[in-house]
Amino acid sequence: MIPLLLPFTNYHTSVFCVLGSIASGRNDTLTGSNKKDVDWRERLASEHVKSLFAKEASSVDEDIVIDVITANTNDLGPFSLYFFRKNNLSASWKVVGLETAVENNATSTELNQTAANIKPEASRGKQDNSLDDHSQFVDTPTNLARRQLRDKRSEKHAADLLKQDDEVIVKLENAAIERSKSVDSAVLGKYSIWRKENENENSDSTVRMMRDQMIMARVYISIANMKNKHDLAQELQNRLKESQRALGEVTADADLPRSAPEKIKAMGQLLSKAREQMFDCRLVTGKLRAMLQSADEQVRSLKKQSTFLSQLAAKTISNGIHCLSMRLTIDYYLLPLEKIKFPKSENLENPKLYHYALFSDNVLAASVVVNSTIMNAKEPEKHVFHLVTDKLNFGAMNMWFLLNPPGKATIHVENVDEFKWLNSSYCPVLRQLESAAMKEYYFKADHPTTAGSSNLKYRNPKYLSMLNHLRFYLPQVYPKLDKILFLDDDIVVQKDLTGLWSVNLRGKVNGAVETCGASFHRFDKYLNFSNPHIARKFDPNACGWAYGMNIFDLNEWKKKDITGIYHKWQNMNEDRVLWKLGTLPPGLITFYGLTHPLEKSWHVLGLGYNPSIDRSEIENAAVIHYNGNMKPWLELAMTKYRSYWIKYIKFDHPYVRSCNLSE
């Protein structure tokens, strides 16, 4: 028998025992008083069940109700008469038992047949003593129909809820947009609740309260003087000085002096007094706006100063590096001629070896590039370094690498000033650098954009040096070579680089890592697209790429006359109308459509300006580049990245020690 019992009363138990017996199709033979008792209980149960549906469908057959009860026990478990009287019937009950019966008598017949099919199964279930197993009802047509209806209703309900949620979200977003329109975003430094220091409302609340009090004290001092209440103004001024002394440079509540609460209380009382005597909403608002504007102007001025000073710091050479260069230069010119030659000069023009071009005036930086390359090379004897410097640092470079040869590798140092073919009649940039307009741009102290200009970085002296522009003349400097790897002096090599010589450039001239992950590395950030010559020839959204580690195919370079293309565009930029000074913009133009993108892991940039580079990205890179102002040899270097650079410096070297260069 199907368990349909809930222990409310004996009366309820009797009714549901009878219903359970009918549903299970029990045909046990009953005699005597037992049979009479069961007949009485059956009639009583039928009357109660009929009363439940009398108002809605008096013609519903009792067998249908019993079948429905039986079919629903699988999902809903035991039932009580109390449950039916509350009329907590699902829609599927009403469809199966009531609505279908009212609409069509044929349906009742089908349900009777279904119930008839169920009864033998229920009877067998009893014989197997599986009273708690209702799985025999899962596949019945009635059960399936009811489940399908329930699933459809659930899906529809879920869809309606999602639609309502979407509508609510859209309304909230629209309301937020409308509110944001009322915010005066043109005011610099406008207070924002999203600022990090305001994430926790209770953090350092005392410090913030003191600052707020000081702001309001300044407001009321101004209003008091305006209204000739000089005594009150003086009193406020005295309290303001006390608060300033108590606060000082403190930024956290824990660092405040013990007298701070007393200062806050006294200032609060005085501000209340000032408010009672002088509060005028219009005047207070006006004073606060004036203070805000003044603060913004100070911020702009300080930002300009910061830009100027950081650029100035980036241009300077530290005392230690200057000392190193001077000591090496002096000792070099004291050497006899026979000791100032590098060995293995026969390798300098051997195209089967791995050749590097390094142009630098910084002895320490150049040493790190060479040391890191050789220490990570699998076959150092096959590597050749072509180092070019200027006249001032020529002796120091020679002396350093004579004292510290790069193991089995070959090295050669040249002086750019001895390249007689590199003159103003051949090289447009040299001619421009010698012009009066360029000298005025660089050297006139009263130039209107000298300090604080957004283009201050282009005034770096390196742009006046031909060492920076020599990269456009590689075939002329090394006419016997087929390929060469160009390296900047602010890089560190962390892996063997010989794989770059086997990269298929697919007919391109330059192999470089692209830098178009951010919008400011697109062409339109370097070139003047308001000029028709630029707008007609180039795509403003084209990807930029990085100088600093570039593999150049010198044979393709000669075929495509890359140096001639560079000269053409450099001549057109005589007045700096196409781009500002520098080598990357003309490089983007010259190698446009002729650059093959390398895998990102070959060259990771940004260690001189970006504090959020992922450590794993740095450690997996073949070359890391300290491009930016924060060079690793400067005091303003980022400490977190400096360790990758200093591990290739020999701090126990006598010259390094004598110049007080330390980690």
Side-chain angles (χ1 to χ4, degrees):
M1 183 176 75
I2 304 303
L4 297 174
L5 306 179
L6 279 179
F8 289 106
T9 62
N10 291 335
Y11 170 76
H12 290 156
T13 303
S14 300
V15 171
F16 280 94
C17 283
V18 173
L19 293 176
S21 299
I22 296 171
S24 63
R26 183 176 180 179
N27 294 320
D28 296 348
T29 303
L30 301 175
T31 59
S33 61
N34 288 337
K35 186 175 187 308
K36 291 179 182 179
D37 185 51
V38 170
D39 290 342
W40 172 78
R41 288 179 178 177
E42 286 179 354
R43 287 195 303 274
L44 185 60
S46 297
E47 290 298 324
H48 277 287
V49 171
K50 285 181 181 180
S51 67
L52 289 172
F53 303 102
K55 293 181 180 179
E56 296 180 23
S58 57
S59 60
V60 176
D61 189 29
E62 292 118 5
D63 290 335
I64 295 175
V65 175
I66 299 305
D67 290 340
V68 173
I69 294 171
T70 305
N72 276 272
T73 57
N74 186 41
D75 292 325
L76 300 179
F79 289 89
S80 70
L81 197 59
Y82 176 76
F83 176 85
F84 284 98
R85 283 178 171 163
K86 285 291 184 182
N87 201 23
N88 291 327
L89 299 175
S90 68
S92 57
W93 275 79
K94 295 177 182 179
V95 169
V96 174
L98 294 176
E99 296 173 5
T100 52
V102 173
E103 293 173 1
N104 193 342
N105 290 333
T107 307
S108 299
T109 306
E110 292 175 2
L111 288 172
N112 280 326
Q113 292 174 353
T114 301
N117 293 332
I118 293 171
K119 289 174 184 178
E121 293 178 10
S123 179
R124 286 194 300 272
K126 177 180 178 300
Q127 293 169 4
D128 294 336
N129 295 323
S130 302
L131 296 178
D132 294 328
D133 183 9
H134 306 293
S135 61
Q136 64 265 35
F137 301 108
V138 171
D139 296 324
T140 63
T142 304
N143 212 12
L144 287 174
R146 178 179 48 75
R147 184 171 288 112
Q148 288 173 358
L149 287 171
R150 187 179 65 235
D151 290 343
K152 287 179 181 178
R153 283 196 306 274
S154 299
E155 291 174 3
K156 184 176 182 301
H157 184 59
D160 290 340
L161 288 176
L162 285 174
K163 184 178 178 182
Q164 290 174 10
D165 286 346
D166 291 341
E167 290 174 354
V168 170
I169 290 170
V170 170
K171 287 179 181 178
L172 288 174
E173 288 176 348
N174 291 337
I177 290 170
E178 290 301 318
R179 284 197 302 273
S180 68
K181 291 178 180 177
S182 63
V183 176
D184 186 10
S185 58
V187 180
L188 286 177
K190 195 165 183 67
Y191 178 84
S192 170
I193 62 170
W194 304 113
R195 284 166 53 181
K196 286 187 178 179
E197 58 263 37
N198 294 294
E199 286 178 356
N200 183 354
E201 292 182 1
N202 297 319
S203 64
D204 304 317
S205 57
T206 307
V207 170
R208 288 190 287 117
M209 182 184 294
M210 291 187 72
R211 288 176 179 165
D212 291 344
Q213 285 184 337
M214 290 163 64
I215 291 170
M216 292 310 300
R218 292 189 182 97
V219 171
Y220 283 123
I221 288 170
S222 177
I223 296 174
N225 286 325
M226 185 187 303
K227 295 189 175 184
N228 296 321
K229 296 190 177 185
H230 300 297
D231 293 340
L232 182 57
Q234 186 60 46
E235 195 176 353
L236 284 164
Q237 188 70 49
N238 294 337
R239 289 295 181 192
L240 178 60
K241 289 179 180 178
E242 290 178 4
S243 295
Q244 287 173 333
R245 283 194 294 268
L247 187 60
E249 299 296 325
V250 171
T251 57
D253 287 356
D255 300 328
L256 284 171
R258 293 182 179 179
S259 61
E262 295 177 6
K263 306 294 184 188
I264 292 173
K265 183 178 179 181
M267 178 65 87
Q269 291 172 349
L270 186 57
L271 288 175
S272 297
K273 176 182 174 182
R275 177 184 174 86
E276 290 173 2
Q277 295 183 20
M278 299 182 302
F279 181 76
D280 184 318
C281 185
R282 182 180 59 81
L283 279 177
V284 171
T285 303
K287 291 297 178 183
L288 287 172
R289 284 188 177 276
M291 290 170 64
L292 178 62
Q293 185 176 357
S294 175
D296 286 337
E297 289 173 357
Q298 289 180 10
V299 168
R300 290 191 189 96
S301 176
L302 290 172
K303 281 183 177 179
K304 286 183 179 180
Q305 266 190 323
S306 175
T307 302
F308 176 77
L309 293 173
S310 64
Q311 294 293 342
L312 186 63
K315 298 172 189 178
T316 58
I317 296 295
S318 68
N319 288 337
I321 295 177
H322 181 69
C323 166
L324 179 63
S325 181
M326 291 300 100
R327 285 178 179 269
L328 289 167
T329 299
I330 292 169
D331 289 350
Y332 173 76
Y333 287 108
L334 294 175
L335 289 175
L337 291 176
E338 63 271 14
K339 291 188 177 181
I340 59 175
K341 291 183 180 179
F342 290 100
K344 300 186 245 184
S345 59
E346 67 278 3
N347 291 339
L348 296 177
E349 295 182 347
N350 185 350
K352 295 181 180 179
L353 301 178
Y354 305 115
H355 294 266
Y356 300 85
L358 174 60
F359 308 147
S360 175
D361 58 1
N362 186 324
V363 176
L364 198 63
S367 71
V368 169
V369 175
V370 174
N371 288 346
S372 62
T373 304
I374 295 305
M375 288 176 68
N376 291 288
K378 294 178 180 177
E379 299 176 292
E381 67 278 4
K382 293 184 178 180
H383 295 257
V384 182
F385 291 90
H386 301 267
L387 204 159
V388 181
T389 188
D390 56 18
K391 180 168 53 179
L392 184 63
N393 293 282
F394 179 70
M397 288 286 187
N398 275 282
M399 189 65 187
W400 178 266
F401 287 107
L402 285 169
L403 292 172
N404 307 281
K408 297 179 181 179
T410 304
I411 193 165
H412 181 61
V413 179
E414 295 181 271
N415 180 359
V416 68
D417 296 304
E418 293 180 359
F419 296 162
K420 300 304 180 185
W421 53 269
L422 197 62
N423 51 59
S424 57
S425 62
Y426 173 67
C427 177
V429 75
L430 261 180
R431 184 177 66 253
Q432 293 166 12
L433 290 174
E434 293 174 358
S435 69
M438 191 68 73
K439 289 177 182 177
E440 181 181 4
Y441 181 78
Y442 269 99
F443 301 115
K444 276 221 173 181
D446 59 349
H447 195 281
T449 58
T450 296
S453 170
S454 60
N455 295 323
L456 187 62
K457 64 180 180 179
Y458 298 114
R459 301 175 187 279
N460 195 312
K462 71 179 183 179
Y463 298 128
L464 294 172
S465 171
M466 273 311 298
L467 281 177
N468 201 43
H469 296 269
L470 195 61
R471 64 191 69 192
F472 292 103
Y473 300 95
L474 289 172
Q476 287 86 340
V477 182
Y478 311 109
K480 300 290 182 68
L481 302 181
D482 297 328
K483 281 188 176 183
I484 197 164
L485 183 64
F486 172 78
L487 297 176
D488 267 343
D489 65 356
D490 55 352
I491 64 105
V492 173
V493 177
Q494 301 186 127
K495 294 182 180 180
D496 181 67
L497 299 181
T498 55
L500 287 167
W501 275 265
S502 59
V503 171
N504 183 0
L505 297 181
R506 305 183 186 280
K508 308 291 185 181
V509 179
N510 174 26
V513 169
E514 291 184 336
T515 57
C516 52
S519 61
F520 62 87
H521 284 146
R522 304 281 178 174
F523 268 46
D524 62 342
K525 300 303 178 184
Y526 297 101
L527 305 175
N528 178 18
F529 274 86
S530 64
N531 187 287
H533 296 293
I534 297 293
R536 188 165 54 246
K537 293 285 186 179
F538 306 103
D539 177 8
N541 292 315
C543 277
W545 44 267
Y547 259 135
M549 191 216 67
N550 308 77
I551 184 73
F552 289 111
D553 187 329
L554 300 183
N555 293 325
E556 288 294 328
W557 184 306
K558 296 170 190 173
K559 288 179 186 177
K560 294 179 169 61
D561 189 21
I562 295 300
T563 303
I565 296 172
Y566 165 69
H567 282 174
K568 169 194 167 186
W569 285 101
Q570 195 70 54
N571 282 322
M572 292 173 65
N573 195 43
E574 180 111 21
D575 298 324
R576 300 180 303 280
V577 294
L578 304 183
W579 67 86
K580 299 296 180 182
L581 293 180
T583 52
L584 182 55
L588 296 176
I589 287 178
T590 301
F591 294 99
Y592 185 66
L594 299 172
T595 299
H596 176 74
L598 300 176
E599 290 291 332
K600 298 283 186 184
S601 60
W602 278 114
H603 188 187
V604 169
L605 298 108
L607 278 74
Y609 71 89
N610 184 2
S612 57
I613 304 173
D614 188 78
R615 181 175 291 273
S616 63
E617 188 179 357
I618 293 173
E619 293 175 351
N620 292 328
V623 170
I624 56 175
H625 195 167
Y626 292 83
N627 58 314
N629 286 336
M630 301 179 186
K631 302 299 183 187
W633 56 84
L634 298 175
E635 289 185 5
L636 50 77
M638 282 186 271
T639 308
K640 63 187 293 188
Y641 300 145
R642 199 163 182 264
S643 60
Y644 299 106
W645 187 78
I646 61 175
K647 69 180 180 180
Y648 294 105
I649 297 175
K650 300 174 182 178
F651 286 102
D652 59 345
H653 193 282
Y655 281 90
V656 174
R657 275 204 323 270
S658 65
C659 288
N660 296 319
L661 287 165
S662 61
E663 301 182 33

